[in-house]
Amino acid sequence: MYRYDEFDLAFVQQRVKQFRGQVERRLSGELSEDEFKPLRLMNGLYLQLHAYMLRVAVPYGTLSSRQMRKLAHIARTYDRGYGHFTTRQNIQYNWPKLEDVPAILDELSSVEMHAIQTSGNCIRNVTADHFAGAAADEIEDPRVYAEIVRQWSSLHPEFTFLPRKFKIAITGAPNDRAAVRFHDIGLQIRRNDAGEVGFEVIVGGGMGRTPSVGTTIRTFLPKQHLLSYLEAVLRVYNQLGRRDNLYKARIKILVQQTGAEAFKDLVEDEWLQIKGGALTLPAEEIARIEDYFAPPAFETLDANQPAFEARRFEDRAFARWVRTNVTAHRAPGYACVTISLKPEGEAPGDASAEQMEVVADLAERFSHDEIRVSHEQNLVLPHVRLSDLAAVWETLEAHGLGTPNAGLVTDIIACPGLDYCNLANARSIPVAQRLTQRFSDLQRQHDIGELKIKISGCINACGHHHVGHIGILGVDKHGEEFYQITLGGSADENAAVGKIIGPAFSYDDVVDAVDTIVATYLELRRDGERFNATLARVGHAPFKDKLYAAA
Amino acid sequence: MSRKPANLQVITANRLREGDVVYLTEAGHWSTYLNESRVGADKAVIEEMLAQAQAAVAARQVVSVYAMEVVEVDGILQPLSTREIIRAAGPSVRADHRANAIQPAPVNRAA
């Protein structure tokens, strides 16, 4: 894992001190709320529906046990005993007191964490594949470059007041688990014909009120030019991105209005001015950062572990969990474990302080001290020996963390919605909870197979509804919560934006509607056919007929 | 069940220091109990309440002040919008974090 050097440490500690002073000045009246608000937002502190909310950055979703224990400690000491893991691999605390926030930031800095770049119109915390450094299908570890981008972008003076927020995601594998086509910039690590490793650069993806799949503006960018090319993209955006209309300020609108080809030319022109200059990444610097992410010393193990196989054969519940929550690892005899934060009837992404500590202990004992946060609001133990899986599972089961539903219909992404958020029009979490109850039969879930439901409580789409196979968007109709359903979205390498199926459903009816869609899919699907493939083959009509038959 | 017309308003805000949701009371204090709110029915009164609230903002007691509609049902004030019901009662998803803002305030509560 990356460890702070003296610059990182000094900078984060200085920031804590600075914010402590700002809070003191706010409380003593030297700063008005108008003056203070942009300062608190630069430190991840929002004022939400019920209280302040602190969003803490988890760079590229990687945590050590020590850091996770600190997150648990903060939840218990300064909040209400739990935290909420988000679709940007961060954690949010829903109930901090303003007067406690400097102390919280101080605690975070002691474990090399902070809340910088989690708000405001800057380059936000960079996200990456949650199986980075572990996945069997990976070309290179994307966190190396995520860290390089973090160092370049942190408090970058030129890009602190962009037209709007700016999100970058990186994946090192062809199977995209980081939704790179739905970010302002998505970087996909590629190997070219000459065998060199570089990046495909995708720009202008995004969700929100104008969902769009990003456009590739460069199929292969050599590594050493990563920062100069990113700087060129950001410069074009910073100069030409709209500042007159909040809803048209993201880079996706600029790319659409300029045209992808013309936008690409602008970037290339800008790049030529700075290419090969100070931002060129020397191979030694890449190697230095790579050292931080060097894979742990994996034992040489047999890919076939008889005790594990026997347990899987004998114990159906264990086998079921392995089928969904265990993913192939690059090292023989190891696996990646997905810890579901979606148990039946609970809020997706919430974890109690005790659960965080259980995960920290497991990571320390069984996963080389590493934990990941996934953008699907689950946690991951990236490096677990197959022979330890049963022990890990038993502990998870005992603490409400063993739900065998990763990638299934109840592994729902949901934004905080109207239960917590100031911007929301409708609730998301209770819809997710009711869906997990409706589909609680595990056998049925496994029969349905991979199916992604994503729920947002407003058009800002924090719950990624546009890219759900089944997407649910909460809207306000004359003070009542209604839910619009979209079908056919996808966040992976087959990126697609879902299409609205028809008129919205009431809060009471939306769960039945989803059930009808799933039942219709099961009737229509061919052997092994996934939801989006069935939808592509039969179209929206059969679903629409079933949904609106009564009307 | 007696039900008055829905044009009653109260003033809500968050405490600056803690962030708690609060309501402006008859006495000009801020209470976490909606039912201790001062209720305004006509424009002049609501303007006066808002002015009072702005003074509390200046005095660094509260932030994010606004007027919201309530209804009175059997003598108990309830917010009109779903948003304000959730804001008063706490998240609808975690029973352990429910506030009791829309219940009547305890009789012998210390001020």
Side-chain angles (χ1 to χ4, degrees):
Chain A
M1 276 182 61
Y2 184 74
R3 298 302 310 263
Y4 277 12
D5 61 21
E6 70 223 85
F7 300 107
D8 296 315
L9 189 66
F11 149 67
V12 169
Q13 286 176 340
Q14 187 192 18
R15 192 60 179 267
V16 174
K17 204 173 146 204
Q18 188 185 46
F19 190 60
R20 189 183 292 280
Q22 289 163 345
V23 170
E24 277 166 14
R25 285 190 288 150
R26 175 69 187 109
L27 293 175
S28 73
E30 281 177 68
L31 292 173
S32 70
E33 186 61 17
D34 285 347
E35 288 164 329
F36 180 64
K37 187 177 171 186
L39 301 174
R40 71 166 156 76
L41 287 176
M42 281 184 187
N43 292 283
L45 187 64
Y46 289 72
L47 183 58
Q48 284 288 20
L49 194 64
H50 304 287
Y52 291 102
M53 180 272 279
L54 182 68
R55 185 180 293 150
V56 176
V58 180
Y60 30 88
T62 296
L63 287 167
S64 66
S65 302
R66 184 165 160 257
Q67 290 174 320
M68 185 62 105
R69 284 199 189 97
K70 183 59 84 176
L71 295 180
H73 168 76
I74 289 169
R76 191 178 283 128
T77 311
Y78 301 98
D79 210 272
R80 296 194 180 176
Y82 72 106
H84 176 74
F85 290 97
T86 77
T87 55
R88 299 218 71 255
Q89 301 180 311
N90 292 323
I91 183 169
Q92 294 181 179
Y93 293 105
N94 290 310
W95 310 94
K97 292 179 168 57
L98 174 61
E99 57 190 354
D100 287 340
V101 173
I104 298 174
L105 295 181
D106 203 24
E107 297 244 22
L108 287 169
S109 75
S110 73
V111 294
E112 308 183 358
M113 294 184 79
H114 56 73
I116 300 163
Q117 284 176 291
T118 62
S119 176
N121 294 336
C122 61
I123 300 172
R124 298 286 186 93
N125 184 32
V126 178
T127 53
D129 181 0
H130 46 267
F131 293 146
D137 60 353
E138 181 173 281
I139 297 169
E140 274 191 23
D141 190 335
R143 294 173 303 162
V144 173
Y145 303 95
E147 173 55 29
I148 288 171
V149 170
R150 183 197 72 77
Q151 295 192 9
W152 160 78
S153 66
S154 287
L155 305 198
H156 192 307
E158 195 177 326
F159 305 136
T160 301
F161 297 99
L162 293 166
R164 198 77 180 84
K165 58 188 166 185
F166 202 92
K167 299 176 181 175
I168 300 176
I170 311 183
T171 181
N175 297 305
D176 177 11
R177 290 173 289 260
V180 295
R181 278 159 190 79
F182 288 98
H183 280 76
D184 295 288
I185 293 179
L187 296 170
Q188 171 113 39
I189 294 179
R190 297 276 190 203
R191 199 184 296 280
N192 69 6
D193 294 340
E196 296 156 342
V197 173
F199 304 95
E200 176 183 349
V201 182
I202 300 152
V203 300
M207 301 203 214
R209 65 188 65 221
T210 321
S212 34
V213 177
T215 309
T216 297
I217 57 166
R218 189 157 253 283
T219 51
F220 189 82
L221 177 71
K223 283 178 182 177
Q224 71 268 28
H225 297 308
L226 175 64
L227 293 185
S228 61
Y229 197 83
L230 291 183
E231 182 128 330
V233 175
L234 263 300
R235 278 190 174 174
V236 170
Y237 169 59
N238 203 17
Q239 282 169 30
L240 302 178
R242 287 180 62 171
R243 290 171 189 269
D244 62 323
N245 182 338
L246 185 67
Y247 303 126
K248 297 186 189 292
R250 295 290 286 268
I251 194 174
K252 61 191 171 190
I253 305 293
L254 179 65
V255 173
Q256 284 163 16
Q257 293 187 342
T258 315
E261 273 305 307
F263 181 83
K264 178 187 171 163
D265 292 344
L266 288 168
V267 171
E268 294 281 328
D269 287 350
E270 184 66 42
W271 189 40
L272 280 181
Q273 316 267 335
I274 54 175
K275 184 183 177 186
L279 284 173
T280 305
L281 282 170
E284 313 82 76
E285 178 60 14
I286 297 177
R288 188 179 75 85
I289 303 294
E290 266 172 353
D291 282 348
Y292 285 114
F293 297 95
F298 296 122
E299 295 166 46
T300 310
L301 297 174
D302 200 326
N304 183 35
Q305 296 289 320
F308 161 69
E309 295 300 342
R311 177 71 183 264
R312 187 152 69 148
F313 184 73
E314 287 161 5
D315 185 339
R316 242 180 111 201
F318 178 61
R320 192 147 55 189
W321 177 77
V322 170
R323 179 144 35 115
T324 46
N325 292 44
V326 172
T327 308
H329 196 281
R330 59 159 63 157
Y334 284 83
C336 309
V337 167
T338 299
I339 300 170
S340 171
L341 295 182
K342 322 288 178 68
E344 184 188 334
E346 298 292 334
D350 275 13
S352 69
E354 293 71 28
Q355 288 177 322
M356 291 183 219
E357 281 162 352
V358 166
V359 172
D361 290 348
L362 285 174
E364 200 168 55
R365 279 184 63 199
F366 297 115
S367 182
H368 291 272
D369 207 32
E370 265 199 53
I371 303 154
R372 308 290 173 73
V373 183
S374 82
H375 87 271
E376 294 186 312
Q377 299 180 285
N378 291 315
L379 298 175
V380 169
L381 297 175
H383 310 299
V384 181
R385 286 188 302 204
L386 292 178
S387 53
D388 291 331
L389 282 175
V392 167
W393 174 68
E394 282 164 9
T395 304
L396 291 173
E397 273 279 285
H399 294 89
L401 294 165
T403 312
N405 65 347
L408 300 183
V409 68
T410 58
D411 185 7
I412 298 170
I413 290 183
C415 70
L418 193 52
D419 283 299
Y420 292 98
C421 179
N422 238 338
L423 302 172
N425 293 319
R427 286 173 291 165
S428 309
I429 296 169
V431 175
Q433 291 174 321
R434 286 163 59 215
L435 283 167
T436 59
Q437 284 155 351
R438 175 63 64 92
F439 290 99
S440 64
D441 179 348
L442 277 171
Q443 193 52 51
R444 183 169 179 230
Q445 281 195 57
H446 279 251
D447 290 344
I448 295 166
E450 188 200 72
L451 213 177
K452 300 197 182 217
I453 299 180
K454 304 182 200 261
I455 310 172
S456 305
C458 82
I459 194 61
N460 291 316
C462 297
H464 294 189
H465 68 278
H466 293 302
V467 296
H469 301 153
I470 300 174
I472 301 174
L473 166 64
V475 295
D476 173 289
K477 267 194 190 175
H478 312 296
E480 249 188 279
E481 295 163 295
F482 271 77
Y483 296 87
Q484 208 170 62
I485 295 183
T486 52
L487 299 184
S490 173
D492 62 16
E493 60 280 5
N494 306 307
V497 174
K499 291 195 177 61
I500 297 171
I501 182 81
F505 296 89
S506 70
Y507 179 81
D508 288 337
D509 292 340
V510 65
V511 171
D512 285 338
V514 171
D515 207 351
T516 302
I517 291 165
V518 173
T520 309
Y521 158 60
L522 295 180
E523 269 171 42
L524 294 170
R525 78 168 166 192
R526 293 175 177 163
D527 267 358
E529 195 176 50
R530 295 204 178 150
F531 184 85
N532 279 4
T534 303
L535 180 70
R537 182 169 55 77
V538 304
H540 274 55
F543 294 95
K544 218 169 169 163
D545 291 348
K546 282 273 165 57
L547 276 174
Y548 302 104
Chain B
M1 187 168 92
S2 71
R3 202 181 174 109
K4 292 184 185 172
N7 55 0
L8 303 176
Q9 300 209 17
V10 302
I11 308 298
T12 185
N14 295 81
R15 282 200 210 280
L16 170 65
R17 199 173 275 272
E18 299 86 1
D20 302 343
V21 172
V22 286
Y23 304 92
L24 182 65
T25 67
E26 286 285 351
H29 301 306
W30 294 91
S31 169
T32 52
Y33 291 87
L34 174 63
N35 275 278
E36 292 185 338
S37 298
R38 177 177 175 192
V39 182
D42 68 82
K43 209 177 157 196
V45 173
I46 293 159
E47 290 296 322
E48 186 214 315
M49 285 158 59
L50 278 170
Q52 202 178 1
Q54 286 306 332
V57 170
R60 306 184 306 278
Q61 294 171 3
V62 295
V63 284
S64 188
V65 160
Y66 58 92
M68 62 173 239
E69 281 191 294
V70 292
V71 285
E72 197 182 315
V73 182
D74 294 337
I76 295 175
L77 294 177
Q78 291 186 1
L80 200 60
S81 72
T82 310
R83 178 185 194 276
E84 291 301 338
I85 291 169
I86 292 171
R87 194 160 168 274
S92 66
V93 292
R94 294 192 67 125
D96 48 337
H97 300 121
R98 289 293 159 76
N100 283 312
I102 49 178
Q103 299 306 314
V107 179
N108 292 321
R109 192 170 60 89

